[in-house]
Amino acid sequence: MSKVLIGQQEVTYENGTTFEQIAKDYQKDYDKQIVLVLFNHRLRELGKKLEEDGELSFITSEHKAGVKAYRRSVVLLLQKAISNLYGKDGVKVRILQTSGNGQYCELTGKAVDEQVIDEIRAEMKRLSEANLVIEKESLSTRDAIRLFRENGMPDKEKLFGYRRSSHVNVYKLDGYCDYFYGYMVPSTGYIKKFDLTKYRDGFVLLYPDRKTDEVAPYQPSEKLFTTQWNSSKWGEQMHVKNIGELNEAIATGRIQDIILMQEAEMEARIGELADLIVKSGNKKFIMIAGPSSSGKTTFSHRLSIQLSARGLHPHPIPLDDYYLDREFCPRDEDGKLDFECLESLNVEQFNKDMSALLRGERVELPIFNFKTGKPEYKGRFMQLGDDDILVIEGIHGLNDKLSYSLPKESKFRIYISALTQLAIDEHNALPTTDGRLIRRIIRDARTRGTNARETIAMWDSVRRGEEKNIFPFQESADYIFNSALIYELAVLKVYAEPQLFNIPVDCPEYLEAKRLLKFLDYFLAIPSENIHHNSLIREFIGGSCFHV
């Protein structure tokens, strides 16, 4: 028998009892489905058995780890359904990129129409109702590589060819076998909420919302999707569409060429954007917005250089300089100063200054002192001539409420984000937010004295601010710029791992740190010495030629 502390209650269960059996005793106390447990500071799947005393808490489908486990399980269900329906014809599914509240998928060897969508959906529902067990099996890495080779999964074969781990966990569903980056629910009976909708040449696999537990209708973001799609296609042209191919490029000595080509490709896109701005005519305000750690500062510098090369005189204006005196800054629901909301900026003063500049007047601009929490005026005067243009960077740049007094035709709006073009493999997309979080962990430790635990602790709040203040305006941009570098995670690995390893096991942030460490373990490392000093990645690792 083992003693288990659940909340303030100590209970006793027989050794060999599964966590699923224990969860059923407590499911009545939770609105959402329990899908995982946390036992002695470690995430465990419900199929795992109790073998020792410990502290236990339940992870539902609303929890971040629970959401990820549920979504992986939906993907496995999708793969099994497609295998049942079309596997004899060699048809396979590729999970390509996150899109809205789902993931965009395509079939190889079969066109997708509404009939196909209906067939797949019906088979997924049948498998769900059958409540089939999702089995987990640990294989030696050598056996796993052989299994992937035999099952026609060269992406996974290559991925694990560069892993140090001696064992690999694979999941089996009624004879179908695959690898997944993380935990699963114990059976298909847990997978009740999902949907499919036709989109472009494939379909979007839709997931339930973590709050409402319902699947919302698909709302496509055409500009964002196209930007990420183009980046992925470029990665395919470079023969680096997944982590295994990136590792192969590193191991075979081809990575320096990849780095140079990626930097050249990014500079070409910035140059094309500068041409577009010039051709647009009469633009005086370049409004740049994007989520945390997108590289907005370096991007604005590099865009300014390209604009200068075309005869314009760009001037950077950080929106941070228009923060209100800290004593007037609003507070969030937790009582903390809310620097993410529009109301934290002196919008009236911003519009007054920008309108005066547009009229050709000489204006003294504020500089915000972050130590005193007050704006200061120190003789920073500006007056716009015919060739002058302002490059304004900040999270609210795309919100018309910020620049309500400025004529629409005077503004060119740019949305920037790190839309990771790499995949882990064909069935495991790489979350774009993970790349930004890792960037921020490294930058904040280097420039702000903030450790990884603190950065992870505030990340959910940062994400809520992005969802409220940035993402709703992304499709209104005149141009969407992808700042992700195809090689960057192999560079960031060296800087991030020591930070993440320093988080104690008993901290709430340990689980996320452990997940990120496992994720970074897929990558071979790249030294940063040969990365040019104007590279966007330098904003995070240091050594930039710009003041960032």
Side-chain angles (χ1 to χ4, degrees):
M1 305 294 290
S2 289
K3 295 178 181 179
V4 182
L5 182 64
I6 302 175
Q8 301 301 315
Q9 179 186 19
E10 185 176 275
V11 294
T12 302
Y13 282 95
E14 185 177 350
N15 286 347
T17 303
T18 66
F19 290 119
E20 182 178 20
Q21 290 172 297
I22 300 174
K24 286 178 180 178
D25 292 341
Y26 290 85
Q27 181 62 65
K28 64 182 182 300
D29 299 329
Y30 293 85
D31 294 331
K32 301 292 193 300
Q33 179 77 53
I34 297 171
V35 292
L36 297 171
V37 299
L38 189 63
F39 186 69
N40 288 341
H41 307 294
R42 290 183 60 190
L43 270 182
R44 299 291 183 93
E45 290 174 308
L46 295 183
K48 197 78 174 175
K49 295 179 179 180
L50 180 68
E51 300 292 351
E52 60 181 342
D53 295 346
E55 186 176 345
L56 179 70
S57 58
F58 300 106
I59 305 295
T60 71
S61 57
E62 188 176 12
H63 187 280
K64 188 189 306 184
V67 169
K68 293 178 185 294
Y70 185 89
R71 292 184 174 186
R72 287 185 206 103
S73 305
V74 177
V75 171
L76 177 59
L77 190 74
L78 171 71
Q79 290 175 234
K80 173 59 177 172
I82 291 170
S83 176
N84 285 355
L85 292 168
Y86 317 118
K88 62 182 183 300
D89 300 321
V91 175
K92 294 183 179 180
V93 63
R94 294 179 64 201
I95 313 296
L96 294 172
Q97 64 190 62
T98 301
S99 185
N101 57 320
Q103 285 185 288
Y104 177 71
C105 311
E106 288 187 350
L107 298 182
T108 58
K110 188 173 184 64
V112 175
D113 56 23
E114 292 297 342
Q115 180 180 340
V116 169
I117 295 289
D118 290 341
E119 290 173 352
I120 297 172
R121 185 190 296 112
E123 180 63 8
M124 290 177 70
K125 288 182 177 179
R126 187 191 70 79
L127 292 170
S128 171
E129 292 167 0
N131 195 24
L132 302 172
V133 174
I134 298 176
E135 302 175 79
K136 184 176 184 178
E137 182 178 352
S138 180
L139 301 177
S140 70
T141 301
R142 179 180 296 180
D143 287 342
I145 290 173
R146 182 168 57 249
L147 174 67
F148 297 140
R149 184 185 304 123
E150 292 171 352
N151 289 349
M153 299 178 177
D155 53 324
K156 289 182 174 64
E157 180 185 351
K158 191 169 292 185
L159 176 69
F160 286 98
Y162 294 98
R163 285 293 301 276
R164 295 185 182 91
S165 176
S166 59
H167 285 81
V168 176
N169 291 322
V170 297
Y171 289 90
K172 294 181 178 180
L173 175 55
D174 192 30
Y176 183 87
C177 182
D178 201 355
Y179 169 80
F180 283 89
Y181 163 54
Y183 295 124
M184 292 279 196
V185 300
S187 68
T188 60
Y190 283 72
I191 314 170
K192 294 182 173 67
K193 302 290 183 67
F194 58 84
D195 201 2
L196 307 173
T197 187
K198 179 80 173 69
Y199 185 65
R200 297 202 179 191
D201 293 331
F203 60 92
V204 176
L205 173 63
L206 297 171
Y207 303 119
D209 181 86
R210 64 188 295 181
K211 297 295 184 183
T212 66
D213 212 26
E214 296 300 323
V215 180
Y218 179 56
Q219 300 292 334
S221 299
E222 296 287 352
K223 293 179 183 177
L224 193 72
F225 183 95
T226 299
T227 300
Q228 189 169 5
W229 181 260
N230 290 339
S231 296
S232 297
K233 286 300 177 185
W234 183 83
E236 288 185 19
Q237 291 172 9
M238 297 299 106
H239 305 290
V240 185
K241 61 180 180 292
N242 54 51
I243 295 176
E245 291 182 347
L246 176 64
N247 287 339
E248 184 176 57
I250 296 169
T252 58
R254 196 165 60 92
I255 192 58
Q256 191 58 40
D257 288 343
I258 297 294
I259 292 173
L260 292 172
M261 286 187 287
Q262 171 74 97
E263 295 292 350
E265 186 270 343
M266 180 172 284
E267 192 64 29
R269 280 190 286 124
I270 297 173
E272 290 169 0
L273 174 55
D275 285 335
L276 183 60
I277 292 169
V278 171
K279 290 176 183 177
S280 297
N282 301 318
K283 302 299 182 186
K284 284 296 182 182
F285 306 98
I286 309 301
M287 314 294 287
I288 301 173
S292 175
S293 303
S294 293
K296 294 184 289 290
T297 306
T298 298
F299 170 75
S300 63
H301 281 295
R302 288 176 63 172
L303 177 60
S304 295
I305 290 172
Q306 290 285 353
L307 291 170
S308 297
R310 287 154 176 80
L312 297 179
H313 300 148
H315 304 277
I317 302 288
L319 281 175
D320 287 0
D321 281 338
Y322 280 91
Y323 271 129
L324 289 169
D325 189 312
R326 198 157 289 165
E327 66 177 290
F328 302 119
C329 183
R331 294 183 180 272
D332 62 19
E333 57 192 27
D334 298 322
K336 298 177 182 178
L337 292 171
D338 187 357
F339 298 113
E340 306 289 322
C341 67
L342 181 63
E343 292 73 22
S344 68
L345 298 177
N346 192 335
V347 175
E348 183 178 351
Q349 187 64 49
F350 174 79
N351 280 273
K352 180 180 176 181
D353 290 348
M354 295 305 111
S355 295
L357 287 170
L358 191 60
R359 292 191 297 267
E361 299 174 16
R362 189 167 183 260
V363 178
E364 184 178 11
L365 301 178
I367 299 174
F368 192 81
N369 186 323
F370 282 89
K371 291 183 179 179
T372 64
K374 299 177 182 294
E376 299 175 346
Y377 288 88
K378 294 185 173 181
R380 183 190 180 194
F381 287 94
M382 184 173 292
Q383 188 171 14
L384 297 185
D386 291 342
D387 295 327
D388 289 298
I389 189 169
L390 298 183
V391 181
I392 300 170
E393 175 255 308
I395 65 173
H396 298 285
L398 302 185
N399 187 345
D400 284 333
K401 290 182 179 179
L402 168 75
S403 54
Y404 63 86
S405 68
L406 303 180
K408 184 177 180 180
E409 60 272 15
S410 70
K411 296 182 283 189
F412 190 96
R413 298 184 293 185
I414 301 169
Y415 175 78
I416 176 174
S417 188
L419 305 168
T420 308
Q421 57 269 68
L422 273 183
I424 298 174
D425 56 48
E426 288 196 346
H427 298 148
N428 290 271
L430 198 156
T432 58
T433 55
D434 282 356
R436 290 196 293 111
L437 174 55
I438 291 167
R439 281 181 173 186
R440 180 158 176 158
I441 287 170
I442 296 165
R443 183 199 63 193
D444 285 7
R446 182 178 62 84
T447 65
R448 303 180 183 181
T450 305
N451 61 39
R453 183 188 62 79
E454 294 168 318
T455 300
I456 291 172
M458 70 175 71
W459 188 242
D460 282 345
S461 175
V462 171
R463 296 276 293 131
R464 286 194 297 271
E466 292 170 353
E467 290 171 0
K468 178 181 177 182
N469 300 310
I470 300 176
F471 298 154
F473 304 101
Q474 61 193 17
E475 284 294 301
S476 68
D478 298 300
Y479 191 95
I480 294 182
F481 188 86
N482 185 6
S483 69
L485 297 158
I486 204 165
Y487 66 84
E488 70 175 79
L489 284 163
V491 175
L492 297 176
K493 169 189 174 85
V494 180
Y495 297 85
E497 285 184 334
Q499 293 288 328
L500 294 167
F501 275 120
N502 200 36
I503 296 179
V505 68
D506 57 348
C507 285
E509 296 76 28
Y510 173 77
L511 287 180
E512 183 70 350
K514 183 179 179 182
R515 185 185 71 83
L516 291 173
L517 282 167
K518 180 183 177 183
F519 169 60
L520 289 170
D521 191 49
Y522 289 110
F523 293 87
L524 296 181
I526 301 174
S528 61
E529 286 79 3
N530 294 326
I531 297 174
H532 199 274
H533 297 293
N534 76 336
S535 175
L536 190 138
I537 203 64
R538 288 286 178 189
E539 182 172 330
F540 305 97
I541 65 173
S544 176
C545 60
F546 303 117
H547 181 64
V548 294

